[in-house]
């Protein structure tokens, strides 16, 4: 049921997806609105197919998917007027 999916998904709980802005080989960028603050944001959605179960030891997901996580960490460090500001990342 949609209510259950929304309660389990941080993305669906916090954002209303408005439209797709673009697609690439690894994912897409969507225009979304924050459900709490009504702020319009761009969200980069990266396909993150994991073979690591949720109950795996701490660090297992990070070790298995270092490339994707390295990109998120690099974006978090960037600060430039010509680059879209990075705010957060999550895995679901």
């Amino acid at each position: 049921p949609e209510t259950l999916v929304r309660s389990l998904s941080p993305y669906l709980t916090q954002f209303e997806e408005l439209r797709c802005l673009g697609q690439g080989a690894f994912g897409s960028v969507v225009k979304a609105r924050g459900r709490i603050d009504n702020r319009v944001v761009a969200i980069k959605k990266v396909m993150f197919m994991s073979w690591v179960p949720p109950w795996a030891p701490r660090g297992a997901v990070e070790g298995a998917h270092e490339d994707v996580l390295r990109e998120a960490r690099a974006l978090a460090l960037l600060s430039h007027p010509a680059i879209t500001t990075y705010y957060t990342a999550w895995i679901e």
Side-chain angles (χ1 to χ4, degrees), residues 6-91:
R6 183 176 288 170
S7 68
L8 296 175
S9 167
Y11 176 71
L12 294 175
T13 300
Q14 296 177 26
F15 300 100
E16 171 192 4
E17 194 168 298
L18 302 174
R19 69 183 181 94
C20 181
L21 297 174
Q23 292 185 315
F26 295 105
S28 60
V29 176
V30 298
K31 180 178 181 179
R33 181 183 333 273
R35 293 186 188 276
I36 295 173
D37 60 10
N38 213 31
R39 183 175 55 142
V40 175
V41 297
I43 297 176
K44 182 177 182 180
K45 296 168 64 174
V46 177
M47 293 303 294
F48 193 83
M49 300 299 287
S50 181
W51 52 266
V52 180
W55 57 85
R58 183 174 173 87
V61 171
E62 291 82 353
H65 303 287
E66 189 58 39
D67 290 343
V68 174
L69 297 170
R70 188 178 307 116
E71 179 183 359
R73 291 180 189 122
L75 290 171
L77 297 174
L78 295 176
S79 178
H80 189 277
I83 298 174
T84 301
T85 303
Y86 166 92
Y87 289 100
T88 191
W90 63 92
I91 298 170

